[in-house]
Amino acid sequence: MSTISSATSSTASTTASTNAALQQAAQSIISGSTGNSSLDVSSLATALVNAKTAGQSTALTTQKTSDNTQLSAIGTLKAALTALQAGLTSLSDGTMLSKFSATASGTGITATAGTGAVAGTYSVNVTQIATAQSLTSGAFAATQTLGTGTLTVSVGGKSMSVDVNSTNNTLSGIAAAINSASGNPGVTATIVTGTGGAHLVLNSATTGAANTIGVSVSNLNNNNGLSSLGVTSTAGTGSAASTITSSGSIAWTQSTAAQDAEFTIGSVAASSSSNTVTGAIAGVTLNLTSAAVGAAQTQTLTVAQDTTSQATTITNFVSLYNTLVTTMGTLTSFDSTQSSSAQGPLLGDPTLNTIKNTLSTIVSGGVGTGTSSTNLASIGITLQADGTLQTDTTTLNSALQNNATTVASLFNSTNGIAAQLNNRITSFVQTGGVIDTRTTALNNDLKSIATQQTTLADYTMQLTNQYQAQFTALNTLMATMNNNSQYLTQLFGGTNSQGSLSANKA
């Protein structure tokens, strides 16, 4: 409707402009024929060409604008559909209903529940957390050259070789060589300087009793303390800490022992090389810190349905659906008091109407069969007169906490509300769907318009050249005729004059 009105208005404007140009051209011909002036060839050619092509040119431009406007509107519609579909993922595949929360009663333990978690309560007592070993060498002079040789540095059964030569045989040079060595098994080195001198500090990057650090020295030359960098670590058993033995005369000390986390779940003892524990309780990840350690620190871990997250997911779905409805309303808006250009670009569009009606039918319908059918209103989500959904938060939370069966039915992964919406949106936006088909048709029309505009431009140029040649010739002819008329008038005289021949005869 708006496209037709716009085209009519544009055509009327073009017609008026063309008529004005033709009148100006006609006046040019009259003036030229009476000898008052020469023909305005350019204006004459332009006016006649416009008279023949302006209507078609305007129609093509109007259609191009309409197509581009509709393409943009279809893109907006598709974006809103895609956003809604993204928000449906956990509702349509059933994962939202398997979301659990895990909460500890004390400090030092946090937990997350994932796939495989089940509701329940657990008593957890942490007696020690997992730590990464840290070793500190004896003191050396900061610039002391230690000799040359090879250091083999190992962590948890993996090792690397570090060549110590005349370019790096100070404590800081050795630390830099360890940190930059290829194949580093997970150890970092730094220098700590105290009152007694400089110390090489080695830290394991990984916690756990098995990840102990070892350093052996070989190929010694000009030994001046390099042999004292040798150290052997022995992992502790059970809850025991690791121990170390120095190889040289300058002893190493163990700043932090390598040990596993030790804890109990109920009456079951367990350990972990990491403070992120994934295998102790099915589907639950425990995160331990030192604040949880202590015989009196037994805590209760509660795993329950995560109704807060579920409510957030459902209300987000409602919000996205309402955004889509609002978008479709804007794209199809109509106001009789406004001009045609102010109406919605997809007003009366069959593609949008199909999508709107299909989705509305799904959200207003039920899930199930016969008397067991249930709908969104049963959990506090009702369809409004304008097509949007409204959520009663109290009713929704009550349903999530007390009527999980109804919620599970509404959002089951087979024919639940979200599953139906997801399937229909997929059919709309996929290749070959109604949106793709409509977009392809509009793009094809734009290509056709471009071809027609090129053809019209070529025709316009050809016609312009033709008219310019014709009117130039006419201008020359009329100028010659005017000159001849003036000569004959001078010779024979005119209505109010006496020619030279007449005068001579007298």
Side-chain angles (χ1 to χ4, degrees):
M1 181 184 298
S2 61
T3 301
I4 294 175
S5 300
S6 178
T8 301
S9 175
S10 179
T11 300
S13 176
T14 301
T15 301
S17 177
T18 300
N19 288 338
L22 284 173
Q23 290 176 2
Q24 183 178 357
Q27 186 61 48
S28 175
I29 294 175
I30 292 171
S31 298
S33 65
T34 57
N36 294 328
S37 65
S38 61
L39 295 177
D40 186 347
V41 174
S42 178
S43 296
L44 279 168
T46 299
L48 292 176
V49 168
N50 284 344
K52 282 196 170 186
T53 63
Q56 185 179 356
S57 176
T58 299
L60 290 174
T61 300
T62 299
Q63 187 58 45
K64 179 180 179 181
T65 300
S66 175
D67 285 353
N68 282 323
T69 300
Q70 291 181 65
L71 272 177
S72 177
I74 290 292
T76 299
L77 174 61
K78 183 177 181 180
L81 285 167
T82 303
L84 172 59
Q85 186 174 39
L88 291 171
T89 301
S90 64
L91 288 172
S92 61
D93 63 12
T95 57
M96 184 275 293
L97 301 177
S98 62
K99 287 185 177 180
F100 288 83
S101 61
T103 308
S105 61
T107 59
I109 300 177
T110 57
T112 55
T115 303
V118 294
T121 57
Y122 309 87
S123 295
V124 181
N125 181 270
V126 181
T127 54
Q128 71 180 36
I129 63 170
T131 54
Q133 189 179 40
S134 177
L135 304 181
T136 303
S137 74
F140 296 86
T143 58
Q144 179 179 341
T145 56
L146 305 177
T148 61
T150 302
L151 297 182
T152 301
V153 182
S154 63
V155 179
K158 298 179 180 180
S159 62
M160 68 176 177
S161 294
V162 177
D163 181 38
V164 180
N165 53 49
S166 59
T167 65
N168 64 357
N169 61 352
T170 61
L171 214 59
S172 59
I174 291 172
I178 291 173
N179 291 333
S180 62
S182 60
N184 188 308
V187 62
T188 57
T190 187
I191 302 300
V192 175
T193 302
T195 56
H199 302 261
L200 177 66
V201 178
L202 300 179
N203 295 290
S204 171
T206 309
T207 60
N211 295 309
T212 55
I213 301 171
V215 180
S216 62
V217 184
S218 59
N219 305 320
L220 273 171
N221 286 299
N222 302 317
N223 179 35
N224 188 31
L226 189 62
S227 62
S228 292
L229 293 184
V231 61
T232 301
S233 295
T234 302
T237 58
S239 61
S242 58
T243 58
I244 64 170
T245 303
S246 301
S247 300
S249 58
I250 303 177
W252 287 78
T253 57
Q254 180 173 243
S255 305
T256 305
Q259 65 182 29
D260 290 337
E262 299 285 338
F263 52 95
T264 60
I265 299 175
S267 60
V268 179
S271 65
S272 171
S273 62
S274 170
N275 289 314
T276 301
V277 183
T278 57
I281 303 174
V284 177
T285 298
L286 298 174
N287 299 290
L288 311 178
T289 69
S290 58
V293 175
Q297 294 294 323
T298 299
Q299 300 185 37
T300 299
L301 179 69
T302 303
V303 180
Q305 285 276 350
D306 189 359
T307 57
T308 300
S309 176
Q310 291 170 351
T312 298
T313 301
I314 292 173
T315 54
N316 181 59
F317 146 64
V318 171
S319 176
L320 290 172
Y321 182 83
N322 288 344
T323 297
L324 173 62
V325 172
T326 301
T327 298
M328 291 191 292
T330 301
L331 295 176
T332 58
S333 61
F334 175 74
D335 186 345
S336 59
T337 65
Q338 299 295 319
S339 65
S340 59
S341 60
Q343 311 305 334
L346 296 182
L347 178 63
D349 184 83
T351 297
L352 187 146
N353 288 338
T354 296
I355 293 172
K356 181 179 180 180
N357 293 335
T358 300
L359 300 187
S360 177
T361 299
I362 292 173
V363 298
S364 62
V367 176
T369 56
T371 58
S372 63
S373 178
T374 186
N375 55 33
L376 288 173
S378 64
I379 62 171
I381 300 173
T382 53
L383 186 65
Q384 304 302 294
D386 62 358
T388 61
L389 297 174
Q390 187 175 57
T391 304
D392 183 321
T393 304
T394 301
T395 303
L396 174 60
N397 288 332
S398 176
L400 288 170
Q401 295 167 11
N402 305 313
N403 200 357
T405 302
T406 298
V407 179
S409 175
L410 274 172
F411 296 107
N412 76 82
S413 59
T414 303
N415 68 336
I417 297 293
Q420 292 182 56
L421 288 173
N422 180 64
N423 291 337
R424 294 305 295 162
I425 292 174
T426 296
S427 71
F428 294 146
V429 302
Q430 68 185 359
T431 301
V434 291
I435 288 182
D436 179 61
T437 300
R438 182 65 190 286
T439 301
T440 299
L442 288 169
N443 282 323
N444 287 339
D445 193 47
L446 286 171
K447 291 179 183 178
S448 175
I449 290 172
T451 300
Q452 293 178 65
Q453 287 179 322
T454 299
T455 301
L456 184 61
D458 293 340
Y459 175 66
T460 299
M461 180 63 69
Q462 176 187 348
L463 200 59
T464 299
N465 292 336
Q466 176 185 330
Y467 281 146
Q468 284 182 336
Q470 291 174 343
F471 283 116
T472 297
L474 177 61
N475 197 35
T476 301
L477 176 61
M478 292 176 69
T480 300
M481 291 176 64
N482 282 329
N483 289 336
N484 289 340
S485 175
Q486 292 173 8
Y487 173 71
L488 291 174
T489 299
Q490 291 174 357
L491 190 63
F492 296 107
T495 302
N496 298 313
S497 65
Q498 182 180 23
S500 57
L501 286 178
S502 176
N504 290 335
K505 182 178 179 181

